[in-house]
Amino acid sequence: MIEPIKFFTDKFNISISQIERLLGAALSKGGEYADLYFEYNVLNNLSLEEQIIKSANRAVRQGVGVRVISGERTGFAYCDEIAVDAIHKAAVTAACIADSGASVGAVNVTAGKPAQDLYPVKALLGDQPLEAKIELLQKIDRTARAYDRRIREVQAGLADEFKVVLIATSEDLLIGDVQPLARTRVMCIADDDGNLQSGISGGGGRIGFDYFNDAIIEHYAKEAARQAIVQLDATDAPAGTMEVVLGAGWPGILLHEAVGHGLEADFNRKGTSAFSGLIGRQVASPLCTVVDEGSIPNRRGSLNIDDEGNPTGQAVLIENGILRGYLQDKLSSRLTGAKLTGNGRRESYRHLPMPRMTNTFMLSGNDAPEDIIRSVKRGLYAVQFGGGQVDITNGKFVFSASEAYLIEDGKITSPVKGATLIGNGPVALTKVVAVGNDLALDEGIGTCGKDGQSVPVGVGMPTIKISEMTVGGTK
């Protein structure tokens, strides 16, 4: 068991008293708050294509980010080595950027530990012999090709990281965490007389090697192959306004993009979100309750502490259609007086923390999914999504459905291809007329981008019905 404080003090020969003096240097120009973010991260990637290993790499990323806050001004600097002199230079630089001219006293920190252990991993994926990981990818390849003779190509990848962080703040905090992360990804290409279609699957989380047993590997491989084969028979999607049913699980990505980002505190503090100033107002159907929860064991978006050292938990964003609050980081919380939610996240020590989602999902309702389908005369049933775009300022979005079906007379009929969903996130939430009792979270491959930073996240949703939405198709 690695103890983060001892890991950094021993490995990099830096003492707690030196950390306190570095915080003092960060506040030497009078900032109101300062923090140091130490990171040591080992990343591994392995990929298989055309039934051979195409790439294998291992990288070590380490350094320290120094942040100083003075009112709305933030000073930030980082160094790519964990050494006192380098950190001191970064601290002085950040201090000068956030210069307030005020006088600041000595800084002391008290060592603490996270109150929760959400990912007690026994055997890290990264520690396994290369042969074991290659065999895992080869199993995926064999299983996917055996699914159907029309599977022409299989691409599979394994990625894992082992990250140790230590966060020291001018508010007396010294706390660390060991954060494992692993995932596998499968893409299959099906070929039927030149009709080429693809399917993508995969999963993971803050898990160990034992997670990738035969059953889960078979599931990922067959699911990617199934999607590709289904698309071979897909016809062109219809166009127009119609009822839309979103399946449980991964379709929550639409909720994440079209609604979740608009609920991050920085956008709302600056008045650039469609949800700005609407706390306490009805923003969605009374059937909708949306939460962000970073404390679900082993989930990809979960953390024992956020990247500012605060415990994660559940933040209720929309409750029965009423907007209850935003996702907060330290800066927005300080400026607005809102309670911290444990959503201060950053890609690495080279990046500033900001409000970010963890695992965002809509809670279950009371409707049986089959009843929801039966209630649709003619509509679209979307169960998998590819890429999408959203404008945070007004909530408008465009998403491509990678697996969708027609609903005709209450029954799911033929698969369609080329379907896009066009709408406005807040408006779409007001048109939710049924929420299923089948909440499912995604399988653990989501990565969220914001301001050039990427962080692992989770999404989820029960089956829901939207009374009308614009479907962009070609028929």
Side-chain angles (χ1 to χ4, degrees):
M1 178 70 73
I2 292 177
E3 200 290 306
I5 296 175
K6 183 172 172 43
F7 175 85
F8 282 101
T9 54
D10 288 359
K11 185 175 182 66
F12 299 99
N13 192 30
I14 184 169
S15 67
I16 292 177
S17 60
Q18 286 172 318
I19 290 174
E20 292 173 333
R21 287 196 288 275
L22 290 167
L23 281 170
L27 293 176
S28 59
K29 298 293 184 181
E32 299 161 0
Y33 169 87
D35 58 27
L36 309 178
Y37 179 87
F38 294 76
E39 176 187 354
Y40 177 83
N41 196 352
V42 181
L43 305 100
N44 297 290
N45 279 283
L46 185 68
S47 68
L48 178 145
E49 191 176 335
E50 298 175 335
Q51 297 183 287
I52 59 174
I53 297 299
K54 276 295 180 81
S55 68
N57 59 68
R58 178 183 177 89
V60 176
R61 182 174 69 195
Q62 62 184 43
V64 182
V66 184
R67 176 175 64 159
V68 182
I69 295 175
S70 180
E72 293 196 31
R73 186 186 307 173
T74 297
F76 179 71
Y78 69 87
C79 53
D80 293 319
E81 56 183 320
I82 303 176
V84 172
D85 289 347
I87 302 169
H88 185 267
K89 289 179 182 177
V92 171
T93 301
C96 290
I97 296 171
D99 186 355
S100 69
S103 175
V104 177
V107 177
N108 298 299
V109 296
T110 302
K113 293 183 177 180
Q116 49 193 356
D117 183 9
L118 300 174
Y119 23 87
V121 172
K122 296 178 180 176
L124 291 168
L125 177 62
D127 289 344
Q128 303 308 307
L130 183 60
E131 293 78 8
K133 295 198 277 187
I134 291 174
E135 172 56 21
L136 194 152
L137 293 182
Q138 290 173 334
K139 280 183 186 175
I140 291 174
D141 184 273
R142 291 193 297 270
T143 304
R145 290 178 187 277
Y147 183 84
D148 191 292
R149 62 175 178 77
R150 292 170 291 177
I151 296 297
R152 171 194 278 190
E153 178 55 33
V154 178
Q155 299 175 8
L158 271 177
D160 68 86
E161 67 178 67
F162 167 73
K163 180 192 287 189
V164 188
V165 302
L166 180 64
I167 300 157
T169 81
S170 59
E171 294 179 343
D172 190 35
L173 182 68
L174 181 67
I175 194 167
D177 194 19
V178 180
Q179 300 169 348
L181 189 66
R183 74 171 183 179
T184 185
R185 185 175 184 275
V186 188
M187 184 174 79
C188 290
I189 298 173
D191 181 0
D192 189 2
D193 288 334
N195 176 17
L196 299 175
Q197 300 295 336
S198 63
I200 295 176
S201 179
R206 300 196 180 278
I207 51 178
F209 182 69
D210 56 339
Y211 176 81
F212 297 104
N213 56 40
D214 288 346
I216 197 77
I217 290 302
E218 181 175 332
H219 165 66
Y220 294 148
K222 288 185 174 179
E223 174 60 17
R226 183 197 65 78
Q227 291 178 25
I229 295 299
V230 164
Q231 290 303 107
L232 290 176
D233 296 324
T235 59
D236 292 337
T241 300
M242 63 188 72
E243 292 179 306
V244 171
V245 176
L246 303 179
W250 180 245
I253 188 64
L254 193 149
L255 183 73
H256 170 105
E257 298 288 1
V259 178
H261 278 297
L263 296 174
E264 291 167 339
D266 48 351
F267 295 130
N268 288 280
R269 174 169 55 83
K270 297 170 184 174
T272 58
S273 167
F275 292 100
S276 298
L278 297 182
I279 288 181
R281 303 269 295 274
Q282 189 89 33
V283 297
S285 157
L287 300 173
C288 297
T289 294
V290 179
V291 304
D292 184 273
E293 184 166 356
S295 56
I296 305 173
N298 300 114
R299 290 291 305 173
R300 181 170 167 81
S302 295
L303 291 167
N304 288 324
I305 53 173
D306 71 1
D307 295 327
E308 296 178 318
N310 302 300
T312 59
Q314 185 186 88
V316 178
L317 303 173
I318 296 173
E319 184 178 28
N320 298 327
I322 306 294
L323 179 60
R324 294 303 186 193
Y326 305 125
L327 298 173
Q328 300 288 339
D329 70 342
K330 172 68 73 174
L331 178 60
S332 289
S333 173
R334 287 176 63 90
L335 292 175
T336 66
K339 183 180 178 182
L340 282 167
T341 58
N343 289 90
R345 303 190 65 189
R346 63 204 300 173
E347 179 177 320
S348 77
Y349 66 90
R350 297 183 179 182
H351 302 86
L352 271 169
M354 65 179 88
R356 303 293 298 266
M357 287 171 273
T358 58
N359 305 298
T360 310
F361 51 94
M362 181 185 294
L363 299 188
S364 276
N366 298 319
D367 297 299
E370 54 271 25
D371 290 341
I372 294 176
I373 297 295
R374 253 194 303 270
S375 70
V376 177
K377 178 69 175 175
R378 182 176 182 275
L380 188 80
Y381 178 47
V383 293
Q384 295 289 342
F385 284 94
Q389 294 181 327
V390 62
D391 184 338
I392 300 300
T393 61
N394 54 31
K396 292 182 178 178
F397 63 78
V398 177
F399 276 89
S400 299
S402 58
E403 183 181 359
Y405 302 83
L406 286 178
I407 305 176
E408 299 171 290
D409 295 326
K411 295 180 180 177
I412 297 171
T413 57
S414 59
V416 296
K417 59 185 176 183
T420 57
L421 298 185
I422 304 164
N424 176 292
V427 173
L429 281 186
T430 66
K431 295 184 177 180
V432 174
V433 292
V435 177
N437 56 12
D438 58 341
L439 169 64
L441 302 181
D442 73 294
E443 299 209 61
I445 60 172
T447 297
C448 171
K450 177 182 176 182
D451 287 352
Q453 294 192 41
S454 297
V455 297
V457 295
V459 300
M461 172 182 282
T463 298
I464 68 168
K465 175 182 170 182
I466 299 172
S467 59
E468 60 175 20
M469 182 177 285
T470 301
V471 176
T474 57
K475 189 168 70 175

